[in-house]
Amino acid sequence: MGLFDFFKKKETAPEAQEALDKGLEKTKEGFLSKITKAVAGKSTVDDDVLDNLEEVLVTSDVGVSTTLKIIDRIQSRVAKDKYLSTSELHRLLRDEIQLMLSENNSNDFRKFEYGQHKPYVIMVVGVNGVGKTTTIGKLAHKLKAENLKVVLGAADTFRAAAVEQIKLWGERVGVRVVAQAMGSDPASVAFDTLQSAVANGEDVVIIDTAGRLHNKIGLMNELGKIKNVMEKVIPNAPHEILLVLDGSTGQNAFEQCKQFTEATDVNALAITKLDGTAKGGVVIGISDQFKIPVKYIGVGENVNDLQLFDKKAFVDSLFN
């Protein structure tokens, strides 16, 4: 079984769909109830309905530019079909959002090939409090469950709590953790982790990094240094730079994404805490605006509640 192939067999499992539906409950309730109010008393999709729908999308944290894009597409359909009933609006909105997600992530993660990298190196970035360490632990758990050898690098050395949390996750899921004293050079931790992963024949390396959103130059220098030392051990490492965002922060998640994508070459996103918020629309907006694949979503606190992002399942769950 290839690296991450296990997601293919698990993503459509009934329990995964059930967890997704449950995790998106708050978003779905708010979203669908707002749409119902937007079309109340109307039989056709007219300018009033579109204005109301625009407000629904913006207040669901889809984002202004993405909302305008969706409204423009629906307006085009209304103009083309001449008559569009409000009962058809749900289906049309679902189709347009799903199409937009597909356009923005041309490589569906189910078909994404990781190549022959061993070890495969993931550098995880994001501000404190977004669920970064928890995401690392849950991902390590999923990988280990498929008999892949995983090692974690505790390179967020600025907070004692961060190192301790990584160690606790390592114990909990049964994977090795490389750590140094608090205040150590993060690049040194990353270097040691990769060297030991190569020596031990491990399959996946996951490196935690400091969650401080300090000035952009400082962030770029710090992350750049970590990347440079990793490349000395494994050419082209890290293979994945995973930015973790808290879905419950709404528009703040957009700003964090902007800061980190300007500071480093983020090529994957994980959006967490979707179960505790009605702001799940942020997944749609961030995917559209930054054109970076959303690979994982967090839909609960259970160790198995980190899911591979399935665009169709997400949109279906939102509208069902």
Side-chain angles (χ1 to χ4, degrees):
M1 179 180 290
L3 185 56
F4 291 102
D5 281 351
F6 67 94
F7 276 129
K8 294 179 183 176
K9 68 180 183 181
K10 288 192 174 181
E11 67 188 345
T12 55
E15 60 269 23
Q17 186 63 48
E18 189 178 327
L20 179 63
D21 291 341
K22 189 165 184 260
L24 292 179
E25 264 176 13
K26 289 185 179 178
T27 294
K28 183 163 48 178
E29 284 169 11
F31 193 59
L32 293 179
S33 66
K34 285 176 185 175
I35 291 175
T36 301
K37 287 177 185 173
V39 300
K42 298 281 189 177
S43 58
T44 62
V45 177
D46 57 17
D47 287 345
D48 285 343
V49 169
L50 290 172
D51 285 345
N52 291 338
L53 181 60
E54 184 177 318
E55 185 179 340
V56 168
L57 294 170
V58 170
T59 57
S60 297
D61 283 280
V62 171
V64 175
S65 64
T66 302
T67 291
L68 293 176
K69 199 180 294 185
I70 292 170
I71 295 297
D72 282 347
R73 290 182 179 208
I74 292 175
Q75 276 181 320
S76 297
R77 282 291 300 272
V78 172
K80 180 184 172 187
D81 298 342
K82 304 301 180 190
Y83 177 93
L84 191 68
S85 70
T86 52
S87 62
E88 293 175 289
L89 186 60
H90 269 223
R91 176 188 54 78
L92 183 57
L93 190 56
R94 177 202 298 238
D95 290 349
E96 289 299 342
I97 289 173
Q98 201 162 293
L99 181 62
M100 182 174 285
L101 286 171
S102 297
E103 289 171 353
N104 296 332
N105 297 292
S106 54
N107 287 327
D108 194 311
F109 189 46
R110 284 173 295 172
K111 301 168 187 171
F112 192 84
E113 293 297 328
Y114 278 82
Q116 301 304 310
H117 300 296
K118 183 177 176 177
Y120 184 79
V121 182
I122 303 170
M123 182 169 80
V124 183
V125 300
V127 301
N128 295 329
V130 295
K132 189 160 53 75
T133 310
T134 302
T135 298
I136 290 169
K138 289 178 178 179
L139 182 55
H141 169 72
K142 283 185 174 287
L143 295 167
K144 184 174 182 291
E146 294 301 321
N147 298 316
L148 290 166
K149 293 175 70 178
V150 183
V151 59
L152 308 181
D156 181 355
T157 58
F158 295 96
R159 288 189 311 129
V163 176
E164 290 308 311
Q165 284 171 343
I166 283 284
K167 286 180 177 177
L168 284 172
W169 269 108
E171 289 173 17
R172 183 180 178 187
V173 304
V175 301
R176 196 166 66 84
V177 176
V178 174
Q180 294 180 11
M182 184 184 167
S184 300
D185 181 4
S188 172
V189 177
F191 185 84
D192 285 355
T193 307
L194 265 63
Q195 271 201 326
S196 67
V198 171
N200 288 310
E202 279 152 329
D203 300 298
V204 189
V205 180
I206 307 177
I207 302 289
D208 188 19
T209 61
R212 301 169 303 152
L213 231 184
H214 40 318
N215 72 76
K216 202 184 305 172
I217 293 172
L219 184 66
M220 289 175 81
N221 290 342
E222 189 174 293
L223 296 177
K225 184 180 176 185
I226 294 172
K227 283 175 63 179
N228 289 340
V229 301
M230 287 198 282
E231 283 186 325
K232 290 177 182 176
V233 184
I234 300 171
N236 301 316
H239 307 106
E240 182 173 308
I241 300 179
L242 178 68
L243 171 61
V244 181
L245 300 167
D246 178 350
S248 69
T249 62
Q251 292 305 300
N252 280 346
F254 281 83
E255 182 57 30
Q256 289 169 24
C257 197
K258 180 174 181 289
Q259 293 283 342
F260 276 95
T261 52
E262 287 175 355
T264 191
D265 300 320
V266 175
N267 58 5
L269 300 174
I271 301 183
T272 65
K273 306 185 185 182
L274 292 174
D275 55 308
T277 181
K279 299 181 177 183
V282 74
V283 174
I284 300 163
I286 283 178
S287 172
D288 175 55
Q289 288 190 35
F290 294 95
K291 305 295 188 279
I292 299 170
V294 177
K295 287 195 172 180
Y296 308 104
I297 54 172
V299 292
E301 294 183 6
N302 188 283
V303 73
N304 290 308
D305 285 337
L306 179 71
Q307 291 195 0
L308 170 66
F309 181 60
D310 181 318
K311 296 185 279 288
K312 185 177 185 305
F314 178 84
V315 177
D316 285 348
S317 183
L318 203 58
F319 282 88
N320 285 342

